[in-house]
Amino acid sequence: MRKFFYLSVSLLLAVSCTNNTPEKVLRPEVVGLLTPIKLQPENTKVILTDFFLHPEKIDSIRVNSNLSYSLNQSNDTLLLKKLSTNLPKLSTMRVWINNMVYSILIIDSEKILYNYEFNSKGKIYKKVQLAGEINAWNPANTFLENENGIWKTSFYLLPGKYQYQIVLDGKWMLDPNNPESVDNNMGGFNSLLKVGNLNDDNKPYLFTYSFNGKNIEIKTINHPDIFKIFWQNFELDKKYISKKDDILKVRIPQIAISKERSFIRIWTANSDGISNDVLIPLEDGKVLSSAKEIKRTDKEAMIIYNIMVDRFYDADSTNDEPLDDPDVLPKANYFGGDILGITKKVKDDYFTNLGVNTIWISPIIQNPKKAYGKNPKPYTKFSGYHGYWPLSFTKIDYRYGTPATLKELVNSLHKSNMNILLDFVAHHVHEDNPLYKAHKDWATNLYLPDGTLNTEKWDEHRLTTWFDTFLPTLNLKRPDISNMLSDSAVFWLKEYNLDGFRHDATKHIPLIFWRTLTKKIKEQIDLPNNKIIYQIGETYGSPELISSYLNSGMLDGQFDFNTYDAAVASIVRKTESFQSLADRLQTAFKFYGYHNLMGYISGNQDRARFMAYADGSVRFDEDSKLAGWTRNIQVTNPVAYNKMAMLQAFNMTIPGIPVIYYGDEIGMTGGNDPDNRRMMRFDNLKPEEIELKNTVSRLTNLRRQKLEFIYGDTKILQADSNTFVFLRSYFNTYGIVLLNKSDETKKVKVQIPDWLNISHLKANFNSIFSADKGVIEVELAPNSFEIITNN
């Protein structure tokens, strides 16, 4: 490879490149912000196509002297090796392409080697395994070795708390040698493993402090001594950075005026660890200071509304065609909702009044005309009303609409300054799909080597398992199949001008598909149209597994079901402390970042409705599907509406993307699938439903009006059995969010950081409060929340 003399970033940003317009300088070989490389404890493989469209054009690479790297023959994969323990916690990889130098942050691993032992106490076992958050709940990932009755294994983990069970000769159970356990929120318990130092108090912390013209000031806590600051994908050198006492000053580079939306990103570290990350949006080179400057394309500002098309609104009865099959009970049949029904609600300003700005619709591809599957009690088969049984990859199911009606919906949403995401099914097809019938070798094997069915093996065979015997799993490890299917996905973006995808069953699809699809989207959609597509995945599993699909070459985010589960348990169950939610939120920050694009849901189509748990109609320890089939579940306790409001307030004010499952804005209830998919109701709402809807609308509009809830820094201030308080701050504006899940009024005192001004405070939901000498005291009604803002 050719070697180029190192150009400092300051020089790069100051000069004009010959024959290059500013936009060519800014984005010739990359799309969007390049995500940090997180090192593993030993060797780390870096797929360069995750960062660069044409890695074969790379001229030179430079890393810290305590790292070495090697490239494969095709120059698309890099292997990083740590040479010593002197590697800084934060360093930079610089990559030269066509005389341009790009900078990618390298974060050293904070994982520690944990040695686990199980004393069998004289009992004889053939095999001992572990399953839990340490290994994606797959016992096949962790076998222990027997040393005279002491079974041992070791693994690398980040400091934290991990739920697990021990598996003795195939039987899952609590670890009898570990007295610590936690409620799993499903009627049982898991053992709890505590790894490393759980106290982060001495790690550095950063807050946006002030800005003036081209200068930004950052408040630093705990004396960081390593600073990594980037404008877009270029590291700023010392000419742009200065520090005095606890204030870090950053000068915005002049070239930033050439880009309408760009970002300053900041990380720091000290000997105790790595700080939170800071994300500062710029508008034409100036710090974004008003929510009025937010655009539809700003991903961080999205509020998603999740629609199951068949169950939303029927505006065209001519395409209604429920299955005429006595084996299909009404709940499992088509209800008649269609694309025109969504369009009507767009034109009626339903979504605008609710305050959401992004619509996610369920799959609308052609599904079969016959019933499949079986439910034993009560006996029923199912129609494909949900859209997840593809007979085609590109044909719209006539029961939902036509290409013309979809284009009308997209145009209506865009005119209303809203986005649309399509639910895309890549994992499987229906057995009657013509492509599968012509190429049955495109599917994984239905039977395992031992002759058993490879169905619903969610963890042990997650990349090959079939969801049912009539739903073949595509072998997307094959490049030809990944290419075919990714072309189909790009077709939807091109043909209908969509804004992104929700991807079904993400963890069951190999990484090659996500990389193939995302590269095509960058080359065929993002760059030609100056448009950034948003992609969010669905993965049930550990944060380690979930985050493995997230980077600049794959997905933007995934749904954080772990945080949702913790929120539901903490808000609903008297025995579950808010501390567990605080712990889970901190875990999310460690794995996904403090300015992530994860989806934070109020519910979804695969779980009993939140309201059913909140009012006790469905127990955590029962079969919620059976409950939905055998009971007429209705809201019986009005306190559930307050608890739903609390969940919505939490989602609307934490980092990430809030997602409202249709009907949750009015407190619809139900057991699990299909009872959680009742027809949406718009009329004859009860007073409690109207009040909840108004509260959700106030919350969405508060989020959209306050930059602290979109780009702000986050700090948990306190968490105990019944109350939870956290801070979101963005320069001189901030919001304090307080939750009270108890049945009693609570007076909550909060000490806020001393540099925040406590004048001009407002309780947005009318709680009584006082502020004096840096302390805010808020009187919270039972089962309520409050959001205090300073402007």
Side-chain angles (χ1 to χ4, degrees), residues 254-364:
Q254 179 67 26
I255 200 171
I257 64 173
S258 302
K259 191 168 178 61
E260 184 178 29
R261 174 71 77 248
S262 63
F263 294 91
I264 296 287
R265 295 181 291 165
I266 304 174
W267 289 262
T268 68
N270 65 14
S271 59
D272 289 293
I274 299 167
S275 73
N276 60 311
D277 58 277
V278 168
L279 180 72
I280 303 172
L282 306 179
E283 175 87 359
D284 298 323
K286 296 180 180 180
V287 171
L288 191 73
S289 59
S290 170
K292 294 179 181 179
E293 299 171 312
I294 293 288
K295 297 174 175 58
R296 180 168 65 83
T297 51
D298 288 315
K299 296 178 183 179
E300 294 83 3
M302 291 192 299
I303 302 174
I304 297 176
Y305 189 85
N306 172 14
I307 293 175
M308 181 160 282
V309 177
D310 178 67
R311 303 299 169 92
F312 192 65
Y313 190 78
D314 186 358
D316 182 6
S317 60
T318 64
N319 62 14
D320 293 357
E321 194 177 297
L323 301 189
D324 185 13
D325 186 334
D327 284 341
V328 180
L329 293 178
K331 281 186 180 181
N333 213 334
Y334 284 89
F335 283 13
D338 46 41
I339 296 170
L340 278 177
I342 304 172
T343 304
K344 182 179 187 307
K345 291 303 174 182
V346 175
K347 294 179 177 180
D348 289 347
D349 289 331
Y350 182 82
F351 304 112
T352 299
N353 293 335
L354 186 61
V356 300
N357 56 19
T358 301
I359 304 301
W360 149 32
I361 62 173
S362 57
I364 54 175

